[in-house]
Amino acid sequence: FRADIGIRDGRIVTIAEVTEDAAETVDAGGLVVCPGFVDPHTHYDAQLFWDPRATPSNYFGVTSMIAGNCGFTLAPLGDDADGEYLKRMMVKVEGMALEALEQGVPWNWKSFGEYLDRVDENGTAINVGFLVGHCALRRVVMKDDSVGNEATPAQVAEMRQMLKESIEAGGLGFSTGRSFTHNDWDGNPVPSRWAAEEEVLELCRETSL
């Protein structure tokens, strides 16, 4: 329906015909005014570094989004080789350009918390939350063995501890991926696809505490 919207101190205070003077008036005639949309499934983990506005989602009214889905995140990292694996994995699973990942992303973090700090320092035009990806956890703990092998109980425990620390640092939860379409740069199933069911459940248990 047609109405004026009155905003005071960042909050909507009336939806009616506003007659009092305003510090600023925006003519939204012919447009739809609505709450910002929340997109719960995105992969802007890298793009936000060279495009803090998260286009084109911002053009469609998205004001909040969750990234780090499907088990794919850029953190945590153990060493440079982990970063090389993850960036090439993202080329395959998300169709990102390798040149963009190499030139547009600083890769200057180890922990998940440090990754979040880099995003904050870079700034974003929308609200963004990040899940902690299974592939990165496996890669840090198991290195090359993360592809082609199930984890030992000790490795699962190490992943769970790393997930705990990542959530405490600001991660919103845990994400994994089991889709048969998700393969890495070499054509092998991504690390999360090699996880036994009990490994996945054990990591999920950390999010229920």
Side-chain angles (χ1 to χ4, degrees):
F1 60 93
R2 295 179 180 274
D4 297 332
I5 299 175
I7 300 174
R8 180 181 291 115
D9 298 328
R11 293 183 177 275
I12 295 174
V13 294
T14 184
I15 301 178
E17 183 179 354
V18 178
T19 57
E20 60 184 288
D21 293 336
E24 180 182 5
T25 300
V26 177
D27 182 2
L31 302 175
V32 175
V33 179
C34 67
F37 299 122
V38 178
D39 188 343
H41 190 131
T42 76
H43 291 281
Y44 281 90
D45 309 64
Q47 182 176 326
L48 287 170
F49 285 104
W50 67 80
D51 175 22
R53 296 181 182 276
T55 53
S57 291
N58 59 330
Y59 296 148
F60 304 138
V62 174
T63 58
S64 299
M65 62 173 57
I66 306 298
N69 287 279
C70 301
F72 305 140
T73 51
L74 307 185
L77 300 175
D79 53 35
D80 291 342
D82 295 340
E84 289 299 317
Y85 178 84
L86 292 180
K87 72 177 66 169
R88 282 166 170 73
M89 180 189 73
M90 296 299 275
V91 169
K92 296 297 292 185
V93 298
E94 295 302 331
M96 298 179 180
L98 181 60
E99 294 81 0
L101 290 167
E102 290 179 335
Q103 300 175 29
V105 180
W107 299 98
N108 57 350
W109 57 79
K110 295 294 185 186
S111 71
F112 199 82
E114 289 172 341
Y115 167 78
L116 296 179
D117 288 342
R118 299 297 92 77
V119 173
D120 282 341
E121 291 164 5
N122 191 63
T124 63
I126 62 175
N127 305 307
V128 188
F130 296 87
L131 301 172
V132 184
H134 195 178
C135 288
L137 293 172
R138 274 193 134 240
R139 174 68 203 190
V140 170
V141 172
M142 300 177 66
K143 300 303 181 189
D144 290 343
D145 286 342
S146 63
V147 173
N149 299 278
E150 293 186 0
T152 65
Q155 288 171 330
V156 173
E158 188 176 350
M159 279 187 266
R160 179 166 176 171
Q161 177 60 30
M162 190 171 295
L163 174 60
K164 178 179 186 293
E165 294 169 357
S166 298
I167 292 175
E168 289 175 346
L172 296 185
F174 168 68
S175 76
T176 190
R178 313 285 275 180
S179 173
F180 70 91
T181 62
H182 289 160
N183 297 313
D184 65 14
W185 178 268
D186 296 316
N188 298 311
V190 296
S192 59
R193 290 180 58 192
W194 297 97
E197 182 177 331
E198 182 54 34
E199 175 186 328
V200 177
L201 294 176
E202 184 66 15
L203 293 171
C204 288
R205 290 184 186 105
E206 184 59 41
T207 68
S208 65
L209 298 178

